[in-house]
Each structure stands twice: as structure tokens, then as C-alpha cells.
Amino acid sequence: MQVDAYVQELGGDKPIHSVLVANNGLAAVKFMRSIRSWAGQVFGHPRAIAMVAMATPEDIRINAEHVTQADQFVEVPGGTNNNNYANVKLIVQMAEAAGVDAVWPGWGHASENPELPEALKAKGIRFLGPPAEAMKALGDKIGSTILAQAAGVPTLPWSGSGVAISFGECKGNIPQDIYDKACIFSLDEAIESCQRIGYPIMLKASWGGGGKGIRKVHSDDEVRQVFKQIQGEVPGSPIFAMKLAPASRHLEVQLIADRNGNVASLFTRDCSVQRRHQKIIEEGPAVAAPQEMLRDMERCARALAKSVGYVGAATVEYLYLIEEKTYCFLELNPRLQVEHPVTEGITDTNIPSIQLMIGMAIPLWRIPGMRATFSKDPNGTDYFDTNTTPQRLPQKHVVAVRITSENAGDGFKPTAGRVDEVVFKPTPEVWGYFSIKGGGGIHEYSDSQFGHLFASGPSREAAIRAMVVALRDVRVRGEIHTIIDYAADMLQSPEFVNNKIHTGWLDSRIAANVKAERPPWHLSVIGAAAVRAHEASACKAAEYLGYLSKGQLPPPDISLVYFQDDLVIDDIKYHVKVIRRGPFTFNVSVNNTAVDVVARKLGDGGFLLQVDGESHVLHTEEEAMGTRLVMDTLSCIIAKEADPSRLVALSPGKLVRQLIKDGEHVEQGQVFAEVEVMKMMMPLLCPAAGVIHFQVTEGAALSAGELIARMDLDDPSKVKRAEQFNGELPPLGPPQVYSDRVDHRFTQALNAAKMIMAGYNYPVDDILEELVSCLDHPALPLLQWHQEFSFVESRMPPGLAAKLEAVTAEHEQALGGSTADRSNTEFPGRQLIGIIKGAVEAAPENEQAMLQQQLEPLARVAKAHSRGPEEYARSIVQEVLSMFAGVEEKFQSSSGLTTEQEMIDALRKSYPNDHQAVLDLVISHQGLNHKMELVKRILSTLVLPNPVPYRALLRRFAALSSKATAEVALRAQQLLEVSLLADLRAVVARALSGLDMFAEADGKLSPTVSANVGSIFSPQPSGDQAGAAAAAGTLTGMLGGSTVVPRKATVREGVFSGLNSLMAPRSVSPHRHSSTGGAITPAVEHKIETLVAAPAAVEEALASLIVDNQDKYLALQYRALVTYVKRIYYPFLLCEPQVNQHGSMLAASWMFDDPRTAETSAKRQNVGAFLVLTSLKELSKGLQVVAAAISSLASQAGVHPSGSILHVAVCNGSDALAVSDGAAKLLATGGPLLGCEAEESFSSVELITSSGPRSPTATPKQITQVVAAAVKDASSLLKAMKVGTVSVLAAAALMPVRNGFVWDMEEQAYKFEPYLRQVNRVKANN
């Protein structure tokens, strides 16, 4: 059906094909959507009625919704509404230019200006509202109250009480003399009128609205203060005074009147929740007053409208006095009101479409929607009286909330600015309208309301609950503030739920500083800290990349991992420290507590926050007073440090007037100026007392953050400062819900280790402990397999899954056995690989590639574990350590690069198209100290037990040359030597076991004298020779300070340097073998000289052969001992060591030239001895044997030894560290012995048993404690033997542990000497 036919069928007189919407914002959007909905239902086309919008430059700039929804728009001047939407001449011109049939004024702007309907009527354009006469009579607050009094409608006491004239008498033009009787023209008249009525009073400008021209006064002084303000806000408007009603409800009646004199009322609404006399929450139908009274309000409203010949939609407002249970007329609004959708919701009508049909002169009784409201057939044609015909009662309740861009936390001050996102999800119970969308905004000339939500339910309680749920889901993000959170809290307050509210209720909440629900303080602190750290890191990273892209060197002190900040929330200052654990993970600490949080940046600029196992969406917005943080739907302010000497504008607006003269004194809390913000007048309060100096003049436009005035404070020390927070964060769990499965724990621990290597920070001890624990778990391979198997099971060929499950089920069953069985159960990786390989080969050739790709995750897991758990653990360790080497190798001095900045510049040139890779390397390198802690722990915990497989990595570590990595390089060099010790020991053992220098006779061993060592009766060196010997070096450790001979670098780190003649080529077999299997050739003497003089570090290999008691005949041990002594004392040995066997003990003694006595009067010859024991328990017995040997040798040489050196070796065995009862008592006392550091875990009596701890499993500290106790217990014997130095070798897990003790003359006791742990070759001192 076409519009013309429709209008003719329903009895109208003028089809309307196009409408100029002379409004903006929500009003325009709501009208367009309502007309489009109606047109789609009636004509089958939503654009059957063309919509023409007016658009200011500001509307276009913010991408206003009403402009984009319109069929077309006409551009109009910007600025205040006097230039556009309130400009009657402009509206008429635009209507003519656009060729529209009608103009819809909406609400506000020119909607109540009677000049508009007059001017349009003259142009033949329909005005979708009342005629000029009725608007003049009712649109003016004073005039409408006069007419209401004449119509018998109750009114409050006011300045025009008793003044009355009916519309019939005046025809809408109230005589001036009668009108003036109700007005106030001067300050004196205002005071006199207020005194007569009685305070409190509302002083109002008749033409005011939207908060302008209205003030509440309680005294004559307040009247004097605000009267000029009211006059200035609405220039030329008449002013009147009205008694401020006591506790009351704001109730109103929706009226609809046609051009034929029919008037209908569509029930009532309750709009009692107001701030600054502007509505925030509406609901309907009203339930605060008795139904009879509500029906009487409707009757009076219809009568008033009929008496003035009203046409269109109107609202009659009443105050219902709660205590008196009476009502009074407030005003009649000759226009459609914002809250009209409440009425639409309870009556199922479309009021804007009814306005349009009334404009076409269709009578009410023919409009389908109105007929349905009166229980008539919507398509019927029968006449009915809308005044007497009963209506269909509402079957539901509707609650509405106005969404405004106001800061509810700061007295509902309006805000303007950009809007990034608007999210609203309508449901059958909740609907709404918004005048903006994401990418738009609200400018300083807009109305603060930009949205309106409505919720319906079968009862008031149900509607409230639906609205609260809807508000919690609404998200508006941008520069503006909204009242969404506050409104949701308000709806749930006991007063609102129990309907115990009144018109001053919201203002009282604002005065009491009732705040909306905010995010928990700890979440605000954690979230703000993480986001600021993320943003700071991103900013610094962008800055760093910017330097690189320009070919410049970045500053050396840019930190991308560690941050700290002060956050002020609700006048409490939180000092936070943030450590990055990864690209998205942060550790936030406050005082002594910390929590991990995950923060990922979203596409809209916000963050997805995970903390304590919960997720939150967080957005931030910078504004004049700080950072607004919105978490989910709740918000708070991260405030800047307050500076009360600077008075700034919080939002765009206009400085209307200065209430204090420039340079005058102002008190704290005093109003010093008024600003107009989005049609609202806002007072500005001074935060502190002082002298004010304005920086802008009256009438100046203000931008957010602009300085309005400066203050010379009376007492800056009295300014309130934020209080420092000294508490702690509440106990919080991990950021994400983690599984306790070992494979998941392993993945997390491995990822954390990799993050450390990438330069981030995790607790090293915890991560390594977790990693080792997971690697040791026998179920790790199976769980990793199951994880991948679950992904590909459904895509496997028939039968393959069953085969694989059968194998893993058998392994799983084995794991379920005893602990001993589980430890020896190996994952069937090879078997699984075979099954997978067979399945791929059995598949058709054209499907093999796809199947192989599908099974690749399973094959990867099976292969990784196919060589056992040790090999898998090694692969993980190598992966982590390789990350360290790969980065730090790029930061070593090479090719002339000496500074870190030069190295970074070289990296920039190496990665010309990938500067992010350079940044990643720099971040990793910045975490070097933390990385080294993990590397050192891994080397000690996982590499040290078996360093052989890590030789390639250890060589890379040992080659690191920077000072910062020296510790790791040294440790790697030591581990390399340990890794090669077994090979070195084999070379030495082979050489010694094949020597022909020993012969076994009568069960005893006799040495063959070396050609290079004289007998004890050989001539002694002269003094010069002795001095030369002393100058040539000193004995290692035991004989004083020494300089280590630099080892020659070889392919194998110099470990085998000088031993080539002892290492048979791999392709050549030894010519013949001795009984011990050692090579016989080359010559014996050559082998001895080679071992004694070689630069290779054979000492440890020899020592390990000495403490190894696996040689049944002691032959290898014997030879190792002799070679060890000769090597250590070379070239100071004066005679061949004399070795004797005493049961399980070996005792050796020798003479040497003591360089310590060089150039002194003391004799240079001294005696050394070596005692090999199977247990420290035998120390006293062995000392007696050695004492006899020393005495015998000394007497043969004719010397009196003093300060002799005694070597003791304790062989590997179960009783090696068993000690005497005396030593055991010393250990039981705990604490250090002979000055060595105590091992806490070894100081208890429980560890000291008759057999003692096993040497191979004891720690070095434990071994030192046991040895110290044994030496101390034998001190008297050692002193009697005149032993000056005792060196004790004991078997340990990898290599022997050497401990030295020196006689202290002052304390007359032996003292532990840590420098004697090492034995090194010497060279001449220069």
C-alpha cells in the first residue's frame, strides 16, 4: 500500500512523504528508527517516509548516528544550538530547501518555540506538534500553571498562586497584566515572594530547561547569590518562584491529541529519580500513588489539553506529595519527551508514528495502534470516545535508564570526547537506543544523554532485574564517562527496590558521595601496574626499533623487563614493582607480596587480563585528572598527584562567569566560577584556600585539562596528600587455571626456563626444581603421547589407533606396578615409531604424505623418548643451554668490537630487515645475570653428573670471552676437563699398567729408580743451585703461592697435551700387553717422564687411580701413587719414593728440596709421606706406620725433619668415611671444625654412624667435615711427627675431593686451608 492510499483510507487529509528531523542525537535516532519500523510494517518498505537530517560540522566530525541513519542531510552551522537546531528561521529554510512535507521538532532546541509552527504553517509545511496557540499557552511554565489553576488542577504555592484565566477566555494569549502578577522582576521581589511562600523555594526561569535557569534556595542570602545567575542563563525569560515540595514523587501522564479534538491518555510514568531536576530513571506504569488518584491525574491532564485545543504528543507532570497523599500540577510539556518509550512498552504503541499520522490528520479512533490500546479491532472503522472508553490495562512493567556522558563519581559532571566502542546486546526483555557508535563521539554542544535502555517484565521486580543484567553487559569505551555502573548500583539499592524514593533521593546520594561499585582495589592496582608496564615496554621497544631503523645506536640503559610506578587510587598511593616474566606475563609486587598476571593486548586497544584464575577485560583512558581504568563494566581513576594550585577544566565547555574577582582571596570549597558543559551549568569549587588568578576570561571556550586559574595557596603544607599504602596484596593464585598433570607442569616449567633465556625473570630455583621433578617422572612420555594422540585419533586409518593403544596400554600397566618396577620402565618409543612407519608404508602411495603429516606429532613424541628418559632430559637441557650460547656468543669481543654498543650496531647490520630480532637479542642479553644463575644451576645439577654428552655446548661456553660470562666460561672449562677425565684416566691407567718398572717379589712391590732422580746419598745442591731451584717455582699449594702453567690449547682443551706418545693410534693395536692390559711400548722411562712433565692436567687422573680400590693386587694404585708424587714434587724430588704395603694400606716416603727454606739458614732437605687408607678409621694406625717410615728415611739422610708434608688418600668404599669414636663425637657437636665451613645437613648425630656416609654420595662439604674431624682427632700424633701440612684425598661422585690443613704456630692447632684444594704445576717467578 502506498502512503497516499493509506492516508485516504484512514481519513487523513495530507500524505507526508518526507520529514525534516529538526533535532540531533538520541531524539533524531529514536524518531527515525520508530518511523522506519512502522513504515516497514505498514508499507513493506522501511524508507517509505524519507528522513532528512540536519548536520552541524561537529555532528559530521564525530560521525553522529542520526546523520548516518538519515536518507539525506542538510548541513547547518555549528556551535551552540542557537545557530542550528534552535534557530527557527534556519529550520524553515532547510525544510523548504529539502522540499519536505513535515518537520519533527523532537525535544529540546526549538520544540517549544511557538514561532516554529507559525512559520511552517505559513509555508504549508506540517508541524508534527501542537499549534502555536496551544504551545504559547502551555509551553511557558508560568502560563501553563495559570491555565492549570483555572482548569481546577491543584498546584503548589508559588508566586502566581490565585492568578487564573481559562484558555477559552484568553484564546491562549494570557493578558500581560495577569501574566505579570505571577512573575518576579527584581531581586527585591524575589526575596519578598520567597518569604511569603516560605523556604525552601525553587527559583525558575519560565523558558529554562535542561538544568538551566533553575536554582534551589533556602535563604534570602542564597536568593541574592543566584538571582543574577538565573537571569544570565536564560536571558529575557520571566522568572517565578515555587514552593519546593516536601518528599514527593514526580509522576506524569502521556497525552495524545489529534487535529479533531480527540484526546487520549496513555497511563502514567514515574520519573522521581533525578539529578539537578533532570531525570535519570523512569518507569511505568506509576505505582507510587493509589490507582484512583492516578486515574484522576489522567482525567485532569486530558481536560487541560482539550481546553487549549492541543494537538500531538504532550506530557503533563505532577508532584505526588508522599506524606499528604495529594498531588499538584507541575507543568505541561508541549512535546514528546525522552522517556516516551516507557509508555510504548506498557501499551505496545509507536508514539512517533502516531505523531506522524496525526500530522496527516488521521483521527485517533482510526489509528490502529490507538484502537488496540482501547481493546478495539486495529483495522476497524467504528468510532469510540477516547475520553470515556476504558483502556486495556498494562500487563507488564517497564524500567528505563538514561545513558549519559556524565561522571557519576564527580557529581554527575558532563563529559565530552571520543567514543571508541559501544556494545549493547538487546534481548526480548531489554531494548534501547543510542545516538552514537564506535568511532563517533559527543561534542561539547551535544546533550549529555546519548542512550536510553528499557527493560520490561511481568512485575516491577522482574523489570529491575532485567535492567541490571543489561547494564552490566553494556560497554561504552572512549574519552567520555558514563553513569552505567552507578545506575546499576542504584537500581539494586534497597530504597529503589522497595520503592522508597523521592525526587531528592539521587541528589542526596550525590551529596553523600555515594560511589558506584568499583573494581576491587587489588585488581585495580594489579591491572593498572601490568598495563602500564606493558605500555611502557611497548613504548621503549618502539623507541629502540626507531633508533635501529634510523641507523642510530639506542641508549644503553633502556630496560624492557623491570618497571616501578606509584598508583594513586582513592587517595591511597600504592608503590608497585613489575617484572616481566614473558611477552604477556608480569609479576606485580606491592611491598612484600607479589602475584603473577597475564595481560594480552586486544585489537580494540584494551587488555585481556588474567589474575587469580579469572579473566577481566581492561581499558584505560587518559584524562585531565589521571587515567580512567575500566575493568569489565566497573571503573576507577588512577589519579595524578593533586596540585591544588592549578585549577583546570575537567571537560570541554565554556566559562560562563567568574564569581570571584581576579586576585581576591577564596576559601576552600567556595564556588569561584560557573561553566556551561553540554547545556548544563556547573559550579567550580576551590580545592584549597588562597588567592586566585584567572588565566581565561568569561565566555572563553575550555578544553579538557586547560588551566582556568592559578592559586597562591595560604598554606601548601595543609594540602591533602595521598596516603602511602603499607599493607599487602591478598593471597592470590596463579593467573590461569593450570592442570596438575606432569606433562602440563613440564610444559610450563620448560616455557619458564626458555623465558629466562629470552631475558625475562622467573625464580630460578623453583623453575629448575619443577623441571627436574617432571623430567624424573616416569609417566611424562606417556602423558605427552596421550595429549597428541587425542588430537589425531579420529583421523587415523582403521586399526592403527588400536595398535598404538595396545602398546601404550601395556606401558601404562607397567607404570601402575611397584615403585621399583616403574623406575625401570622405559617408554616404548621405538616400537611406536615402527608401527607408525609401517602404517605410512602400508598406505596407498597417494595418501602417504598426508598420513605422515597427520602422524607427525605422534612420531615426534615417540622419537623424543625412544632413547630413554636420560637422553630426553639431555635434549631438553641442550635446548635451553643452546639458547644461552646462541645469544651470548653475539656479545663477545671479536673483530675489533669492544663495547656493547658496537656489538649492537653490528647486529643491526647483520639483521637489516629484522630489527625485531636485534631487540629480542638485546632483551635476552639484558637478563644475563639472571640467565647465568639458571645456567650455573643447570651445569651443577644436570650436566655435572655426566658432562660427556654436553661437550659441544661446553666448548661454546668455555669460548665465551666477556667478563660478564667469565664465571660460566670457567665452569664450562672445568666440566670439560671432568668430561675428559675418564678418557684421561684411561690413558694414564693404560700407561701405568704397562710399565716394566715394577716387579712383584715375595708379595712386595719394589720400585725401579728413575734415571733423573738421585739417591738420598747423592751430593746436595749448592746454595746457588738451591736458590735457582727456589726461583724456578714453589711446590703447589702445600709450599706457598704459585703460578699456574698455562696449558696449551688443543682440539681437546689441552687435557691430553703432551701425552701423544701414550695414546696409541685408533687403527694401531698395542704390540703386547701386560697382565693389566696396558701397552708395553714405548719405553718405560719415556712414559714416566711423559706423565711427570706433560702440560696435561694428569693430577686428577692419577688421584682418581689412587683412591680407586678396584685393583686386586694394588699394582695400578701403587704405580699411580709413585707417579703422582714424582709429578707433584718435580723437580724438587731428591730420591725415589719408598713404597711399602702394610695389609690394605700403602705407605710411601721421600726426600725433597724444600724451596721455602731457600736463602735461609735452615736445612733445605725435608721429608714427605703418603698414606693410602681404605677407611679414615685407620688413620691413627696408619700414622704410626708413616711415622716409622719418615724416621727411617730421615735417619738414613741424616736430617731432622720439621714441617713435613703428609698426603693421605682414602679409597672408595662403603667404610671410607667411617671415623673413630673421637672424631664422631666432634662431628656430633656440629659447627665448623678446624675453620672449615659446616654443612648443616650433616651436623646431626643421625648422620654419623659406625660406617659413616658413603663417600661417593656425600657432598664435598660433608667430606670436608668428616676429614676435618679425623685430622683434629689425630692432631696429637701429627704434631708429634712434626707434620706441617696435611693433604687428604677422598673419593667423591665425580673426582676426588682434596682438603688441606696447615699447622698454625700461634694457635698450636691445624687449620683448614681452602687453597690446598687445588694442585697445579709451577713455573719460575719473574
Side-chain angles (χ1 to χ4, degrees), residues 574-577 589-594 724-729:
Y574 302 88
H575 182 70
V576 296
K577 296 180 180 179
S589 62
V590 176
N591 298 331
N592 297 320
T593 52
Q724 187 68 42
F725 178 75
N726 297 316
E728 297 180 340
L729 293 171

Side-chain angles (χ1 to χ4, degrees), residues 612-633:
D612 196 26
E614 297 180 347
S615 62
H616 307 274
V617 176
L618 187 147
H619 289 87
T620 60
E621 189 68 45
E622 296 298 324
E623 50 189 46
M625 301 306 292
T627 303
R628 178 157 43 93
L629 183 148
V630 181
M631 184 173 291
D632 300 327
T633 60

Side-chain angles (χ1 to χ4, degrees), residues 1148 1166-1171 1179-1191 1194 1200-1208 1274-1286 1303 1310:
N1166 210 337
V1167 180
F1170 206 122
L1171 176 62
L1179 180 61
S1180 296
K1181 180 181 176 182
L1183 289 177
Q1184 296 173 11
V1185 174
V1186 170
I1190 292 176
S1191 176
H1200 300 282
S1202 177
S1204 302
I1205 299 175
L1206 172 64
H1207 299 263
V1208 179
S1275 293
S1276 59
L1277 287 173
L1278 293 169
K1279 179 181 178 183
M1281 295 167 59
K1282 297 184 179 181
V1283 174
T1285 303
V1286 181
W1303 177 256
Y1310 288 97

